[in-house]
Amino acid sequence: MPNSGSESVDDYLKAILELSGPTGGPATSNRIAQRLGVSAPSVTGMLRKLSTGNRPCVTYQKHHGARLTNEGRRRALRIVRRHRLVELFLCEVLGYSWDEVHEEAERLEHFISGKLEERIARKLGNPEFDPHGDRIPSKHGTLPKRKTVRLSEAPAGQTAVVSSVSDRDPEMLRYLQRIGLVPNRRLTVLEHAPFEGPTMVRLHGERQSRGISPKLARAVLLQEI
Amino acid sequence: MPNSGSESVDDYLKAILELSGPTGGPATSNRIAQRLGVSAPSVTGMLRKLSTGNRPCVTYQKHHGARLTNEGRRRALRIVRRHRLVELFLCEVLGYSWDEVHEEAERLEHFISGKLEERIARKLGNPEFDPHGDRIPSKHGTLPKRKTVRLSEAPAGQTAVVSSVSDRDPEMLRYLQRIGLVPNRRLTVLEHAPFEGPTMVRLHGERQSRGISPKLARAVLLQEI
DNA sequence: ATACAAATTTAGGCATTCCTAAATGTTTGC
DNA sequence: GCAAACATTTAGGAATGCCTAAATTTGTAT
């Protein structure tokens, strides 16, 4: 059964992947519970399940959180690939705007067969980025890293390309789109304001965005040029 | 909650719709169990559940099978609409062949939101027929009837249009396609053979199909001209 | 009319995934 | 070093939806 893994399992693996961050550190029960909107005891039960079997998806020590195994990371990245392919497909083929796609993709990602995944990817020309600028993992569940920094942590004078923005808040997405802060847009950070006050950025020398609050700034990832 | 209804519920409603046929007669537990590949007791339990609540989907008398209520029929037809839209979409937009789409659609039909349903329909030009020639119900869950007859029951000399073919057997579909027996194809029945031996039909005066066995013939619906 | 066969329902269970409440383990401030 | 605060796990239970085995009901054939 290469394609085992319920909707729930998919969600847990994705959550652990995202909570582990680039460091691959452990994801704690509470963070997982919070992200998935389930109770902490539910998480404990699922982690125990995921860490057993002949090819466990996570390593798990009581009270010390969970990490993905290679198998688990591969699975998680395949779900992420499907999520991002679906998002891009909805935008490119069905005229969705980028703030509408997350919810649909969150549901559909669990039900995209390998064949459908391939057809969608082919239709889109085997794309590298989703509509939010996030990289699309390979069909084998791999994703080489790039060096990125949060907008809120970028020093004044930094020139970079918007790498990605969180796709979880439609209102924020519309705001960012309105001020021109979209993926692959080149920009220069005018003022570094890590804790409060506006961060101003110049976009490609033409337009200027003001009043990016730290909260918003934290949601934007820059990729160094 | 206008959109309640699990995957299982969807499947039961669809099964009852299809087993009721044009007459709207009751669907028996065993037939439902057989079609869904579950045990008869499972069916009993689900029918009891579906027939209770403030807006029941089926009426159900012990030992006498189930019928859809208007509410139930509407729901079932909306699932069927999604199934058929997805099938057509996969063919038209993603290059699937008509014998590949059923399995995908069977899974995806449960997870198509109203918005996605509308975008797919619009992209396809609000189509009336799916790739197998089956009519696509309206978004309100209605489907006016047409007069049809099975190929196996059509008398010799009958001229008609292929209305639809069963979409459940890929091998049969490929065979029918090879001999040119596809939806909306006009044909004349040469020989009436209700029980055994081949039924021969002439297609549009040009091509001739031979060796249609009763089993295959039963899968083809003709719409009188 | 009745007994048998077929269809159907009841009874009792299992797996998944979630929950709350209570117990336990870990971390941290002083 | 220790207690309060916090994080996590255990215990016990609910809802779905499935199963098998054992009644029960229905319909039919004699």
Side-chain angles (χ1 to χ4, degrees):
Chain A
M1 288 74 205
N3 242 343
S4 72
S6 68
E7 243 175 296
S8 274
V9 170
D10 288 356
D11 288 340
Y12 278 90
L13 294 179
K14 254 190 12 170
I16 297 168
L17 178 73
E18 284 154 19
L19 290 172
S20 293
T23 69
T28 66
S29 293
N30 256 7
R31 301 289 302 283
I32 298 171
Q34 194 182 342
R35 166 161 288 232
L36 294 181
V38 301
S39 71
S42 300
V43 175
T44 298
M46 183 58 93
L47 290 184
R48 183 148 13 146
K49 179 188 160 188
L50 291 177
S51 63
T52 60
N54 48 2
R55 279 200 299 152
C57 290
V58 312
T59 58
Y60 166 56
Q61 285 186 92
K62 277 188 197 178
H63 299 101
H64 293 286
R67 292 175 145 87
L68 292 177
T69 61
N70 287 339
E71 171 71 12
R73 180 178 359 275
R74 225 177 295 124
R75 287 195 186 203
L77 283 172
R78 292 222 44 189
I79 314 292
V80 170
R81 171 177 167 84
R82 287 166 188 185
H83 179 101
R84 293 180 181 168
L85 280 173
V86 168
E87 286 192 340
L88 187 60
F89 185 80
L90 293 174
C91 285
E92 299 277 308
V93 176
L94 288 174
Y96 276 70
S97 61
W98 75 332
D99 53 297
E100 294 176 304
V101 295
H102 179 70
E103 194 190 9
E104 294 279 7
E106 196 66 20
R107 191 166 15 88
L108 293 174
E109 63 186 4
H110 308 295
F111 310 103
I112 305 296
S113 69
K115 187 196 275 184
L116 183 51
E117 173 190 326
E118 277 313 287
R119 303 261 178 154
I120 289 174
R122 193 193 311 164
K123 173 81 178 179
L124 296 171
N126 301 303
E128 202 180 346
F129 298 101
D130 81 1
H132 309 99
D134 292 311
R135 319 243 324 285
I136 297 173
S138 79
K139 69 176 126 180
H140 305 110
T142 62
L143 186 61
K145 290 179 187 151
R146 293 259 178 111
K147 202 173 168 193
T148 57
V149 66
R150 291 185 209 290
L151 173 57
S152 58
E153 286 153 7
Q158 168 94 58
T159 294
V161 166
V162 176
S163 169
S164 68
V165 307
S166 166
D167 61 357
R168 307 195 151 263
D169 181 347
E171 197 187 347
M172 186 200 301
L173 284 173
R174 282 189 289 271
Y175 174 69
L176 292 174
Q177 185 166 44
R178 190 150 48 75
I179 66 175
L181 208 60
V182 297
N184 296 317
R185 203 65 171 270
R186 180 183 295 235
L187 57 75
T188 302
V189 177
L190 291 187
E191 185 188 342
H192 173 54
F195 291 121
E196 52 185 321
T199 297
M200 288 170 58
V201 300
R202 196 200 327 274
L203 291 169
H204 214 188
E206 357 161 4
R207 209 172 348 169
Q208 195 160 307
S209 307
R210 4 170 99 248
I212 311 273
S213 75
K215 178 193 160 199
L216 295 183
R218 268 196 298 279
V220 177
L221 274 182
L222 301 182
Q223 183 179 315
E224 292 174 19
I225 292 180
Chain B
M1 287 74 206
N3 241 344
S4 72
S6 66
E7 242 175 297
S8 273
V9 169
D10 288 355
D11 288 339
Y12 277 91
L13 294 179
K14 253 189 12 169
I16 298 168
L17 177 73
E18 284 155 19
L19 290 172
S20 292
T23 69
T28 66
S29 293
N30 256 5
R31 301 289 302 281
I32 298 171
Q34 193 182 345
R35 166 162 288 233
L36 295 181
V38 300
S39 70
S42 300
V43 174
T44 299
M46 182 59 92
L47 290 184
R48 186 156 7 161
K49 179 188 162 191
L50 291 177
S51 63
T52 59
N54 48 2
R55 278 199 303 151
C57 290
V58 312
T59 57
Y60 167 56
Q61 286 186 88
K62 277 187 196 175
H63 297 102
H64 293 286
R67 290 177 148 87
L68 292 176
T69 62
N70 287 339
E71 171 71 11
R73 182 178 354 275
R74 227 178 293 122
R75 288 194 183 201
L77 283 172
R78 292 223 44 190
I79 311 294
V80 170
R81 171 177 166 83
R82 287 166 187 184
H83 179 101
R84 294 181 180 169
L85 280 173
V86 167
E87 285 193 340
L88 188 58
F89 186 80
L90 293 174
C91 285
E92 300 277 307
V93 176
L94 288 174
Y96 276 71
S97 60
W98 75 332
D99 54 297
E100 295 176 305
V101 294
H102 179 70
E103 192 190 9
E104 294 278 6
E106 196 67 19
R107 191 167 14 90
L108 292 173
E109 63 186 3
H110 308 294
F111 311 103
I112 304 296
S113 70
K115 188 197 272 184
L116 183 51
E117 173 188 327
E118 276 314 287
R119 303 260 177 155
I120 290 174
R122 193 193 310 164
K123 173 81 178 177
L124 297 171
N126 300 305
E128 202 180 346
F129 298 102
D130 81 2
H132 309 99
D134 291 311
R135 319 243 324 285
I136 297 173
S138 78
K139 69 175 125 185
H140 307 294
T142 62
L143 184 61
K145 292 181 187 148
R146 294 256 178 112
K147 200 173 169 193
T148 57
V149 66
R150 293 185 207 293
L151 174 57
S152 58
E153 285 153 10
Q158 168 95 57
T159 294
V161 165
V162 176
S163 171
S164 68
V165 307
S166 166
D167 61 359
R168 304 193 152 265
D169 180 347
E171 195 188 348
M172 187 198 304
L173 285 172
R174 282 190 288 272
Y175 174 70
L176 292 174
Q177 187 166 45
R178 190 149 50 76
I179 66 173
L181 209 61
V182 297
N184 296 318
R185 201 66 171 272
R186 181 181 295 234
L187 57 76
T188 302
V189 177
L190 291 187
E191 184 188 342
H192 173 56
F195 292 120
E196 51 185 324
T199 297
M200 289 170 61
V201 299
R202 193 192 338 264
L203 291 168
H204 216 187
E206 355 161 7
R207 208 169 353 167
Q208 193 161 311
S209 307
R210 6 172 96 248
I212 312 273
S213 75
K215 177 193 161 199
L216 295 182
R218 268 196 297 281
V220 178
L221 275 181
L222 301 182
Q223 184 179 316
E224 290 174 20
I225 293 180

